[in-house]
Amino acid sequence: MSKLIEPRTLKGFRDFLPATMIPRERLMETARRVYRSFGFAPIDTPALEYTEILLGKGGAETDKQMFRFEDSGGRDVAMRFDLTVPLARFVAQHAGTLGLPFKRYHIATVWRGENTQRGRYREFMQCDFDTIGTRSIAADIETTLVIHELFLAIGFTDFAIHVNNRKVLTGLLERLQLADKSTLVLRALDKLAKIGAAKVNEELASTTGATTEQAAAILEFATLAGTNDEIVAGVAKAVAGSALGEEGVADLRSLLAACAAAGVPDARLKLDVSIARGLDYYTGTIFETFLTHLPSIGSVCSGGRYDNLAGLYTKQELPGIGASLGLDRLLAAMEELAMLPKAATPAEALVTYFDAERLHDYLRLAALVRSDGIGVEVYPEPKKLGQQLKYADGRGFRVALIAGSNELSAGECQVKDLRTGGSETVPLADVPSAIKRVLSAG
RNA sequence: GUGGCUGUAGCUCAGUUGGUUAGAGCGCCAGAUUGUGAUUCUGGAAGUCGGGGGUUCAAGUCCCCUCAGCCACCCCA
């Protein structure tokens, strides 16, 4: 006899059991629904691309994280590590037929060969949406509103979209004559919340060679606090004189005003001048979204504006703005926050196989219920009723339909609410509406 | 990729200075209860002690390697 192969999965790659796949699919459906409601259209692209396509913008870091190999035809290929770079290639290739502005959403798996941690996997799903081909601040505003709507639709009320604008940072650095060090400064600032002002100060001095005055100015800027209005005022003062900086301030003002007018409460949209995003390609508005009750898991939805998305692939200048929901990270957070239902079945109702002679009646009953849009399963064996109810309860069914020959010969069926334990007996034709009553009750 | 912590039944964990057939609770299966699930009682199944190698008369316990998870750095969803 041959030796068994140990069943196992790769580091950072996971199986999804029904109990996690059900809420995962629900999240995707929610994201799709919200994106569509704002007019974003779905697209898809290949998981595998020519390495030169993906390598373009990222630099050494993404290079190291990519799953890259030679295919059997000798091509140098790699698996996509985000959905933005494939989008850039996609619009460069299809802008002609798509027309601009182009709004798309893309829900797909991406791969990064980095070290794993809670909420950080090597294979994970992103839910991106982007608006390509417009510089209008209206797109920035809409992006913010989509993120806000998305989290509400998922079921969160305690979250904060941190917003900033690269132009104000760049403006400040221009004034301080540190513009050429912007990436290093941004990296240091990004850590502010984590390591504190003193450490950031040290890092600024050591990596950028900033003088004490320069570092102090940057930190004073980054630690501006108060209401959004107060921070905007502080920022305006700090960048005064820099055309770019003043532009950024104006953008932030428009964004904040429009979102407030659209009903986004101040608590959920925070101007946070310390967020910077490591990625170089952002040029304007930038976002990071944090969960109030689990900030340690990091940003669960991030994005921003870029001036020229596809410059590597086309001469046509394509500005755009978008954001990415980290579905798997969010799911890990929801799991930890006990926000996920434990149901292991996607169906609401179970028809018990009570009387061995009545299978046809049960199948007919199930079809009737199903035709009303309710998920229903018929238990496959005429086992003891107690066991069938235990199965129904364990799997997370909400309703059990019980009918022995007594009920069936009277043309009736018992509809049992598995949460309360109560039940009512109704004519067969009324079973769907009785189930709906139970479902809407809780 | 670098460093640290962890790894015993499906789950949560116990396991004494290395010493006979590795335990508990919960869960699971069956019965008490041939028309009603989260109670009670009875019985039962289930463990390559993450994997491999080494030290030893003897390893779940010590050492090395490896795999995986978590934490920090890095970066990011």
Side-chain angles (χ1 to χ4, degrees), chain A residues 53 84-98 100 102 132 308-318:
Chain A
I53 298 277
T84 304
V85 174
L87 172 65
R89 194 223 82 224
F90 181 92
V91 291
Q93 207 168 324
H94 304 292
T97 53
L98 291 168
L100 297 175
F102 171 60
I132 311 295
N308 192 6
L309 176 69
L312 287 167
Y313 319 105
T314 177
K315 288 179 180 157
Q316 185 177 3
E317 206 162 284
L318 293 166

Side-chain angles (χ1 to χ4, degrees), chain A residues 19-20 22-23 26 338-344 419:
Chain A
T20 57
I22 289 169
R26 193 172 302 146
M339 290 173 69
L340 300 181
K342 283 190 312 215
R419 284 191 195 168

Side-chain angles (χ1 to χ4, degrees), chain A residues 88-355:
Chain A
R89 194 223 82 224
F90 181 92
V91 291
Q93 207 168 324
H94 304 292
T97 53
L98 291 168
L100 297 175
F102 171 60
K103 292 166 71 173
R104 79 91 175 81
Y105 72 86
H106 191 181
I107 299 177
T109 307
V110 303
W111 295 269
R112 290 183 198 176
E114 67 174 338
N115 246 342
T116 53
Q117 241 174 80
R118 176 189 54 161
R120 304 178 65 152
Y121 314 103
R122 291 189 165 182
E123 178 181 62
F124 59 98
M125 187 158 275
Q126 292 196 322
C127 307
D128 278 36
F129 65 98
D130 286 80
T131 303
I132 311 295
T134 173
R135 289 199 153 74
S136 169
I137 189 73
D140 303 51
I141 293 163
E142 184 181 68
T143 302
T144 317
L145 296 179
V146 171
I147 297 174
H148 186 249
E149 190 59 41
L150 181 58
F151 278 84
L152 288 183
I154 291 167
F156 283 97
T157 50
D158 296 332
F159 63 92
I161 304 168
H162 290 225
V163 62
N164 190 12
N165 193 304
R166 272 280 172 87
K167 291 179 194 167
V168 300
L169 291 157
T170 311
L172 178 77
L173 294 180
E174 274 177 8
R175 275 193 55 185
L176 296 172
Q177 265 124 44
L178 281 171
D180 56 324
K181 298 285 202 303
S182 80
T183 302
L184 293 172
V185 173
L186 293 175
R187 292 243 164 97
L189 277 190
D190 222 19
K191 298 178 199 161
L192 188 59
K194 218 167 201 173
I195 63 177
K199 289 257 172 73
V200 171
N201 205 339
E202 276 173 37
E203 184 168 334
L204 284 172
S206 64
T207 66
T208 71
T211 64
T212 316
E213 291 76 30
Q214 287 172 322
I218 292 170
L219 271 173
E220 189 194 345
F221 170 82
T223 51
L224 283 170
T227 65
N228 288 339
D229 287 343
E230 288 163 0
I231 298 173
V232 173
V235 170
K237 216 162 98 188
V239 302
S242 155
L244 194 62
E246 285 172 8
E247 211 177 290
V249 171
D251 282 356
L252 282 172
R253 284 208 166 104
S254 320
L255 182 73
L256 292 170
C259 290
V264 178
D266 244 39
R268 296 208 199 104
L269 182 62
K270 289 194 176 139
L271 174 52
D272 177 352
V273 285
S274 74
I275 66 154
R277 317 270 307 123
L279 292 175
D280 295 340
Y281 55 72
Y282 293 113
T283 51
T285 306
I286 47 185
F287 306 101
E288 301 213 337
T289 309
F290 297 95
L291 303 176
T292 312
H293 300 300
L294 198 59
S296 65
I297 202 144
S299 174
V300 287
C301 184
S302 309
R305 174 168 278 287
Y306 33 81
D307 280 338
N308 192 6
L309 176 69
L312 287 167
Y313 319 105
T314 177
K315 288 179 180 157
Q316 185 177 3
E317 206 162 284
L318 293 166
I321 180 163
S324 177
L325 174 72
L327 185 130
D328 287 295
R329 177 174 289 186
L330 185 64
L331 216 51
M334 291 172 79
E335 162 95 63
E336 194 162 328
L337 294 171
M339 290 173 69
L340 300 181
K342 283 190 312 215
T345 172
E348 292 89 3
L350 178 78
V351 177
T352 55
Y353 193 167
F354 189 12
D355 184 325

